[in-house]
Amino acid sequence: MEDKSQRNLETQVIHAGYELDKATRSVSPPIYQTSTFAFESAEQGAALFAGKEKGYIYTRLGNPTIEALEQAVASLEKGVGALATSTGMAAVSTVYFSLLEKDTHLIGTAALYGASRTIIETEFVRYGVTSDFVDTSNLDEIRKKIRKNTRLLYIESPANPTMALTDIQGCAQIAREHGLVLAVDNTFASPILQNPLELGADVVLHSVTKFINGHSDVVGGIIVSKTNELQERLARVLHLLGGTMDPHQAWLVLRGLRTLYLRVEKAQDNARKLASWLESQPKVAWVNYPGLPGHAQFELMKKQMKGPGSMISFGLKGGYEAGLKLINSVKLCTLAVSLGGIETLIEHPASMTHAGVSREEKEKAGITDDLIRLSVGCEAYEDLRADLEQAMGQC
Ligand SMILES: *Cc1c(COP(=O)(O)O)cnc(C)c1O
């Protein structure tokens, strides 16, 4: 059989996970909108439950439409398998529930997605899980916090909303030395720009709500494992916790996935141009974008990513007040949280996505009051620049 993993990424993203349905030769994958699957006999039902025969039983445990999405993302992320979840947070919490236990310790990126950190600090703490959230872009900060009971190193790179990168290969080395599992939230990069499993990570997860689905119309998540052992462990926990995806949701995400390469390329092209333009503006104080040659981690970006992506954060010289004025004056960019959709979104993390993080922790993570986050979409660059230009004129 032809080895499809050898094909170019832009081809894989369009074809992975689906072979023409034998019965109908439907070009688009069928939606198996069913909660349960009939057994041919009592004996077959028993064999399926005993794992002696392969087949579908019940949609929480497996469904062909969901599996099409899982296989597609597993192949893009170069894992042995994937598990689609109802939301990104269902993916995050399944990873935590599977890999942490009573009296264990986690080290995470300080500027982690807000809820991924909050659930550890307010819920898992009730089960005796302790944590340290550090600036993982400095590997020594990680080393300093390792304890005997540390089990999980959980990182986001690029981090939200500072765009700070973490050296994934460096983390993998630390994880191997200390017997930790390395999990990477790859939402910001998407599988097009970064493949953490190839850089030594054990588990990679996504909020597919963002780039993978890409149309701001579905929430969902996915977890990809490097080994069968991890895949089985995560599947067991996910099937018990129940945060699985729905077949119709999976079909929508798979449809979104098919244009991921095109969208990432176009949005990244826009972001590169916008970041340079922003840098040249007299009212702009600073721009964080790993694609700018002046960015502190430009070399690391080139080493571990295929491109800098389409998330930018920046601050105006007029600080918080000017930033709010800018956000309130845009006409094409949409004021909304979330990211990775075809439309450009703008938001103010300190009062919105990261409002739940304490002032002290925000400062440590570099989430300043003047920081504006831009998720650059696929509109024409000239229109986006003109919108920001007119809005900046109001500041
Ligand atoms: C949005 C997001 C999540 C959570 O995903 P939901 O789909 O909103 O549950 C997790 N990690 C990152 C980096 C995100 O951007």
Side-chain angles (χ1 to χ4, degrees):
M1 223 172 96
E2 196 184 348
D3 183 3
K4 291 182 184 156
S5 64
Q6 294 308 308
R7 288 189 186 150
N8 289 304
L9 196 58
E10 42 194 306
T11 306
Q12 276 186 53
V13 82
I14 292 169
H15 293 279
Y18 180 59
E19 300 280 348
L20 285 187
D21 168 52
K22 285 197 182 66
T24 63
R25 299 186 56 76
S26 144
V27 170
S28 164
I31 307 174
Y32 288 93
Q33 192 71 49
T34 184
S35 59
T36 193
F37 298 83
F39 306 134
E40 278 160 18
S41 63
E43 290 76 9
Q44 193 216 7
L48 286 167
F49 268 96
K52 288 182 184 144
E53 195 177 310
K54 269 183 83 74
Y56 298 104
I57 299 173
Y58 182 66
T59 283
R60 175 161 49 76
L61 309 175
N63 174 293
T65 313
I66 301 169
E67 279 178 9
L69 172 67
E70 290 172 338
Q71 282 168 17
V73 177
S75 91
L76 294 175
E77 283 288 18
K78 291 133 178 87
V80 297
L83 295 159
T85 57
S86 55
T87 64
M89 279 314 296
V92 174
S93 55
T94 298
V95 167
Y96 289 162
F97 263 108
S98 305
L99 303 173
L100 293 167
E101 50 199 88
K102 190 170 175 292
D103 299 329
T104 58
H105 175 247
L106 163 150
I107 300 174
T109 304
L112 215 55
Y113 181 74
S116 304
R117 180 169 172 167
T118 307
I119 191 177
I120 291 288
E121 292 180 326
T122 65
E123 303 305 321
F124 278 82
V125 70
R126 298 189 296 121
Y127 306 109
V129 170
T130 51
S131 57
D132 279 295
F133 291 95
V134 301
D135 175 9
T136 51
S137 56
N138 180 350
L139 296 178
D140 286 335
E141 294 283 308
I142 301 174
R143 283 199 190 89
K144 271 194 258 171
K145 295 294 184 187
I146 292 174
R147 305 181 194 166
K148 266 210 193 81
N149 61 343
T150 307
R151 286 287 166 79
L152 182 60
L153 178 54
Y154 185 94
I155 64 169
E156 250 179 63
S157 181
N160 174 22
T162 58
M163 306 307 134
L165 305 190
T166 293
D167 179 345
I168 298 174
Q169 275 177 320
C171 285
Q173 172 87 26
I174 295 175
R176 269 195 304 274
E177 281 165 16
H178 297 272
L180 317 179
V181 175
L182 173 62
V184 180
D185 183 331
N186 201 28
T187 299
F188 268 47
S190 91
I192 303 299
L193 298 177
Q194 180 170 272
N195 293 129
L197 297 184
E198 286 201 317
L199 297 165
D202 302 295
V203 173
V204 53
L205 58 149
H206 290 270
S207 166
V208 304
T209 311
K210 317 295 167 50
F211 287 97
I212 289 182
N213 179 64
H215 292 75
S216 309
D217 52 9
V218 174
V219 291
I222 202 155
I223 312 164
V224 188
S225 297
K226 185 171 184 158
T227 64
N228 288 321
E229 195 187 347
L230 277 167
Q231 171 74 12
E232 278 160 28
R233 170 78 194 137
L234 288 157
R236 179 177 160 74
V237 172
L238 175 66
H239 294 157
L240 289 168
L241 285 176
T244 46
M245 204 178 252
D246 169 85
H248 188 250
Q249 186 187 7
W251 184 88
L252 284 167
V253 175
L254 191 57
R255 184 171 71 162
L257 175 76
R258 297 312 189 198
T259 56
L260 180 63
Y261 193 95
L262 289 169
R263 289 185 281 105
V264 166
E265 286 260 294
K266 171 68 181 166
Q268 177 171 264
D269 187 47
N270 280 344
R272 280 187 205 274
K273 291 177 184 155
L274 275 180
S276 312
W277 175 78
L278 280 168
E279 237 190 0
S280 73
Q281 293 306 295
K283 286 185 183 171
V284 173
W286 55 268
V287 181
N288 267 344
Y289 180 62
L292 290 172
H295 188 277
Q297 291 159 309
F298 185 66
E299 291 306 319
L300 178 58
M301 184 281 289
K302 285 201 289 187
K303 190 178 128 203
Q304 69 183 18
M305 300 178 78
K306 294 192 192 88
S310 50
M311 297 298 298
I312 300 175
S313 58
F314 65 97
L316 296 180
K317 286 185 183 147
Y320 177 68
E321 298 292 319
L324 288 203
K325 227 177 240 169
L326 176 93
I327 288 178
N328 280 326
S329 307
V330 289
K331 296 194 171 105
L332 175 61
C333 302
T334 305
L335 170 52
V337 299
S338 197
L339 57 109
I342 45 169
E343 62 290 286
T344 298
L345 301 181
I346 193 164
E347 68 119 355
H348 179 245
S351 67
M352 296 168 189
T353 42
H354 294 69
V357 183
S358 73
R359 175 157 287 277
E360 188 197 339
E361 287 300 329
K362 267 193 273 221
E363 255 164 46
K364 253 202 244 165
I367 306 163
T368 49
D369 266 350
D370 66 339
L371 187 150
I372 296 166
R373 190 184 80 180
L374 200 57
S375 168
V376 181
C378 300
E379 300 92 338
Y381 162 68
E382 292 74 16
D383 294 333
L384 292 172
R385 193 202 54 210
D387 189 38
L388 289 171
E389 201 162 25
Q390 69 76 24
M392 231 179 268
Q394 314 289 313
C395 301

